[in-house]
Amino acid sequence: MSDRSITITSAEVIDLRVPTSDQMLGSDPFHKAPDYSSAVLHLETDAGLRGVSVVFTVGAGTDWICYGIRDLCRLIVGTNLEDFAAAPIKLYRRLIDHHQLRWLHDGVFRMAAGAVLNAMWDLWAKSLDKPLWKLLVDLEPEFVADCIDWRNIGDALTRDEAVMLLQKTRPHVTEREAEMAERGPRAYCTAGWLGLSDDEILATIQKLQDQGFDAFKLKVGRDSDQDVRRIRFMRDAIGPASQLMVDANQYWGLDQAKRHIDRYRPFDLKWIEEPIARDDVLGYVELAETFADASFDLACGEQAASPVIFKQLLKSGAIGYCQIDAVRVAGVNDVMAILLMAAKFNVPVCPHGGGIALCNMIQHYGMWDQIAVSGHSQTQLVEYIDFLQDAVEQPVRVREGCYVTPTAPGWGLEFRSAFIEQHRFPDGEVWKNRSSGKKGVAFEAD
Amino acid sequence: MSDRSITITSAEVIDLRVPTSDQMLGSDPFHKAPDYSSAVLHLETDAGLRGVSVVFTVGAGTDWICYGIRDLCRLIVGTNLEDFAAAPIKLYRRLIDHHQLRWLHDGVFRMAAGAVLNAMWDLWAKSLDKPLWKLLVDLEPEFVADCIDWRNIGDALTRDEAVMLLQKTRPHVTEREAEMAERGPRAYCTAGWLGLSDDEILATIQKLQDQGFDAFKLKVGRDSDQDVRRIRFMRDAIGPASQLMVDANQYWGLDQAKRHIDRYRPFDLKWIEEPIARDDVLGYVELAETFADASFDLACGEQAASPVIFKQLLKSGAIGYCQIDAVRVAGVNDVMAILLMAAKFNVPVCPHGGGIALCNMIQHYGMWDQIAVSGHSQTQLVEYIDFLQDAVEQPVRVREGCYVTPTAPGWGLEFRSAFIEQHRFPDGEVWKNRSSGKKGVAFEAD
């Protein structure tokens, strides 16, 4: 071992769960009582640096992902950071194209692979003492292109096109970086959670406006009359100059979505988020045609399971906003591909936040996109939710409605050790005295 | 407990792996050295009956699925078969729409849920002393429709349309059943495995022709010139009257697929199987338009992860053959939805077989489809591969190129106990003396 190399010596995978369902935080029509959770990966090294990543989940099933990550870590313990950093696509292929594991597809497998990749990227950024976004900004266009698996997306974006896109922003990167060091990506927040009273919504809006927010989201789905009333209420509350979006969390079938959305035309909405199933590409195409003349576009992506799904949504023009998630696909490598495709098709990247520590991650993608990929901040909004920021040592912050530019090395995802000890499942303090009915799979919301 | 009820008392999940990579059986460009494996589920009851199902895999990762199935089984141990049989959709929803686990998506989660559902269907059929296909044939159309989750597929097929489809075949079911008791679904087989010499291919064809086969498949993908040569060789060997199909196992990107497939026009092929990624619906639409005037249609489905993907492929007319798999989606309930959509769009159902015990399962879907759903046998071919039939007590059989109608109760999936003991991973006889390099995830083909 050369004295410059950093070797992965061990991996710890932590099943971290927070009983958020006690207060029904973050619930939607499908996820009736989510316990915000994370499979947390700590890659330890012989250099004292730790690579950290998370896979966000909503309670039961976190252990499935932990199981997968532990298995994949057998492939990387003993490997060197230098080898990873020389060609990240090699580790991507060892995982995603593993000749036997690839049978497991998207979902648990792709998320577990993403955890490993994201922890390696974290480690790399930390070894350079850079925040993740800065590492990405500093990569050469050709290097970025070489991080991407082109097999299934080349019909939408070729490697050469990707390099050209990145070269085009290159001359302005220094200037853009200086601008965004002052003011990070513009943020938006959900004010209209299901279950909040009108007064609670007004109070939430007021609190957000005091922080400089002028873009707000509302959850819809179940009752059309009530949804229309709430949209009107929100629009009246925020005024015509603020942006308003709605989110149906995949609750509708296609025909039902058409009926519901048709009633949303009068309210100058910006987007309709996840009206239908995450993988119904042709459904999105049909909805986009149906509502081509409306004020709003369609948005989705937080549950899109692969770059191939994103490719279709972007190439077809079905979506007007590309909502990447930081932990649903296979890490930085997959997100690079998606951001570059979005840039080619001029679709603003509006990442999905919330959960545990997702905002801590997506702020880096917002930075990279707005500095070096799309190269502007004119149309993007990055989701911001202030839940559970006590879990981490570097909470995300907003100022004047924008993210405060992250400066900690890597993702800035260090968990507070007390938080981890309290919330380890099932042995942490907050879990060990609960009735078994609330523990794991056996807990059913209905 | 009433004396008529049957209660699930325990669940055993077995990680069963066969070192098929020693002979490179079943390899393709992605799965370079598959060890055919199964997560085997045994549901034990207080009535002496055992519900059996499998999830086929190709080696590493089988344990991920076993882990998931064990977790889900906590939801059904202690439940009654009668409750399941009264409304199978309820268990389907408890699993697939579980308010926390649904976050895990398709892949491992959907396959594990399918294992539980399929074992319950097996138990139900056994309690009636019927093969699975006969249980399905005997269900009332309305009951079948009530087994299906309509939320995301209703734009392609409504519940009412499904009932009408099944009612239309109803008057002919007795006659069709009698016909198919004599002669099961027509089978086809792969003769042109990658790596076989021309002489070996000829010998395979001869052996299959002796068993009455007149439809043959050839693996393609890597080398266009060599593929064209092999297709011509196969066509010459089988003559113009036999059917010839090719399978690319998702090896190509879209543009690459067009270039390769364009050279296949002269050979009167029946179908091109999995030319591109499993989830690239718009890619399939584009390929179907490109080759609309060719002899062949597109085929896929063995790796399509959800009924929503099938919906799009069928509704758009992109595929001409619907290749359901028995264990990739969530069990009988999902397959019911897919078969009914295929019937509506007049797409022949040609299930994917092979692996361990997949043919034992798909023969039931072929029977149900051809008796009661499409109600005919004019266009379908059911894949047949004779690998590893020594694993089970009731091997599948073909006669005159057709499956011999299965008569054993349930799926007929009883494994030979000696086979299980020998192949349990990692403690069975065939595994415990191997070098660790061939065990589990650490074994890499490259």
Side-chain angles (χ1 to χ4, degrees), chain A residues 30-35 56-61 63-65 67-69 71-72 74-75 94 97-112 151-152 154-155 250-255 277-283 285-286 302-303 305-306 308-309 311-312 315-316 328 352 439-445, chain B residues 30-35 56-61 63-65 67-69 71-72 74-75 94 97-112 151-152 154-155 250-255 277-283 285-286 302-303 305-306 308-309 311-312 315-316 328 352 439-445:
Chain A
F30 282 125
H31 308 98
K32 294 175 186 119
D35 287 328
F56 173 64
T57 57
V58 294
D63 50 326
W64 298 37
I65 294 175
Y67 184 92
I69 296 173
D71 196 33
L72 295 182
R74 295 164 57 193
L75 285 172
R94 277 184 84 194
D97 275 352
H98 184 282
H99 74 113
Q100 295 184 335
L101 289 167
R102 71 191 311 282
W103 197 264
L104 302 182
H105 268 205
D106 302 323
V108 172
F109 173 58
R110 201 170 195 100
M111 290 191 277
R151 179 186 301 271
N152 295 315
D155 57 300
Q250 308 178 56
Y251 195 66
W252 301 315
L254 180 56
D255 298 330
R278 60 194 180 231
D279 50 354
D280 193 355
V281 173
L282 288 176
V285 171
E286 197 171 320
E302 71 178 70
Q303 298 228 12
S306 75
V308 176
I309 298 290
K311 173 189 80 169
Q312 297 171 76
K315 184 181 172 184
S316 66
R328 174 66 69 183
H352 166 242
K439 282 188 184 173
V441 71
F443 164 46
E444 294 185 86
Chain B
F30 282 125
H31 308 98
K32 295 176 184 117
D35 287 327
F56 172 65
T57 56
V58 293
D63 50 325
W64 297 38
I65 294 175
Y67 184 92
I69 297 173
D71 195 34
L72 295 182
R74 295 165 56 193
L75 285 172
R94 278 185 83 195
D97 274 350
H98 184 283
H99 74 113
Q100 294 185 335
L101 289 166
R102 71 192 310 284
W103 197 264
L104 303 181
H105 269 204
D106 302 322
V108 172
F109 173 58
R110 202 171 195 101
M111 290 192 276
R151 179 187 303 271
N152 295 316
D155 57 298
Q250 308 178 57
Y251 195 68
W252 301 316
L254 180 57
D255 298 330
R278 61 196 179 227
D279 50 354
D280 193 355
V281 172
L282 289 176
V285 171
E286 197 171 320
E302 71 179 69
Q303 299 228 13
S306 75
V308 175
I309 298 289
K311 173 189 82 168
Q312 298 171 75
K315 183 180 172 183
S316 66
R328 175 64 69 182
H352 166 242
K439 283 187 183 174
V441 70
F443 164 46
E444 294 184 85

Side-chain angles (χ1 to χ4, degrees), chain A residues 127-145:
Chain A
S127 77
L128 301 171
D129 201 29
K130 293 179 181 180
L132 207 284
W133 67 262
K134 177 63 174 159
L135 166 61
L136 298 181
V137 165
D138 290 347
L139 294 176
E140 292 296 325
E142 291 77 9
F143 189 95
V144 172

Side-chain angles (χ1 to χ4, degrees), chain A residues 274-445:
Chain A
E274 288 201 317
I276 54 174
R278 60 194 180 231
D279 50 354
D280 193 355
V281 173
L282 288 176
Y284 273 96
V285 171
E286 197 171 320
L287 282 180
E289 286 164 2
T290 305
F291 296 105
D293 61 341
S295 66
F296 46 77
D297 283 314
L298 303 175
C300 76
E302 71 178 70
Q303 298 228 12
S306 75
V308 176
I309 298 290
F310 278 101
K311 173 189 80 169
Q312 297 171 76
L313 293 167
L314 291 165
K315 184 181 172 184
S316 66
I319 59 169
Y321 300 93
C322 176
Q323 298 181 302
I324 57 156
D325 181 89
V327 301
R328 174 66 69 183
V329 294
V332 171
N333 303 63
D334 270 356
V335 175
M336 283 174 158
I338 298 163
L339 260 59
L340 283 159
M341 288 192 287
K344 169 167 172 185
F345 295 105
N346 283 311
V347 174
V349 172
C350 300
H352 166 242
I356 298 181
L358 291 182
C359 293
N360 306 64
M361 298 180 78
I362 59 173
Q363 59 185 341
H364 296 275
Y365 289 127
M367 292 288 294
W368 183 53
D369 170 48
Q370 295 177 32
I371 293 171
V373 186
S374 70
H376 67 82
S377 302
Q378 292 153 22
T379 50
Q380 304 94 331
L381 289 174
V382 177
E383 188 163 20
Y384 171 79
I385 300 184
D386 62 359
F387 291 173
L388 298 176
Q389 285 295 315
D390 59 325
V392 291
E393 290 180 3
Q394 283 105 3
V396 291
R397 290 188 297 143
V398 287
R399 193 166 52 215
E400 295 170 23
C402 292
Y403 272 84
V404 174
T405 305
T407 55
W411 294 112
L413 259 186
E414 273 44 57
F415 282 82
R416 291 196 306 104
S417 56
F419 190 89
I420 286 187
E421 292 318 313
Q422 284 154 14
H423 295 90
R424 270 180 197 272
F425 186 86
D427 300 321
E429 199 63 43
V430 304
W431 290 108
K432 69 183 178 193
N433 296 320
R434 290 190 168 241
S435 69
S436 62
K438 186 88 191 279
K439 282 188 184 173
V441 71
F443 164 46
E444 294 185 86

Side-chain angles (χ1 to χ4, degrees), chain B residues 326-437:
Chain B
V327 301
R328 175 64 69 182
V329 293
V332 171
N333 303 64
D334 269 356
V335 175
M336 283 174 158
I338 298 162
L339 261 59
L340 282 159
M341 289 192 287
K344 169 167 172 183
F345 295 104
N346 284 311
V347 174
V349 172
C350 300
H352 166 242
I356 299 181
L358 291 182
C359 293
N360 306 64
M361 298 181 78
I362 59 172
Q363 59 184 341
H364 296 275
Y365 289 127
M367 291 288 294
W368 183 52
D369 170 49
Q370 296 177 32
I371 293 171
V373 186
S374 71
H376 67 82
S377 303
Q378 292 153 23
T379 49
Q380 303 93 332
L381 289 173
V382 177
E383 188 162 20
Y384 172 80
I385 300 183
D386 63 359
F387 291 171
L388 297 177
Q389 286 294 316
D390 59 324
V392 292
E393 290 180 3
Q394 282 105 5
V396 291
R397 289 189 297 142
V398 288
R399 194 166 51 216
E400 295 170 22
C402 291
Y403 272 84
V404 174
T405 305
T407 56
W411 293 113
L413 258 188
E414 273 44 57
F415 281 82
R416 293 196 305 102
S417 55
F419 190 90
I420 285 187
E421 293 317 314
Q422 283 155 14
H423 294 90
R424 271 181 198 271
F425 186 85
D427 299 322
E429 198 64 43
V430 303
W431 290 108
K432 69 183 177 193
N433 296 321
R434 288 189 170 243
S435 70
S436 61

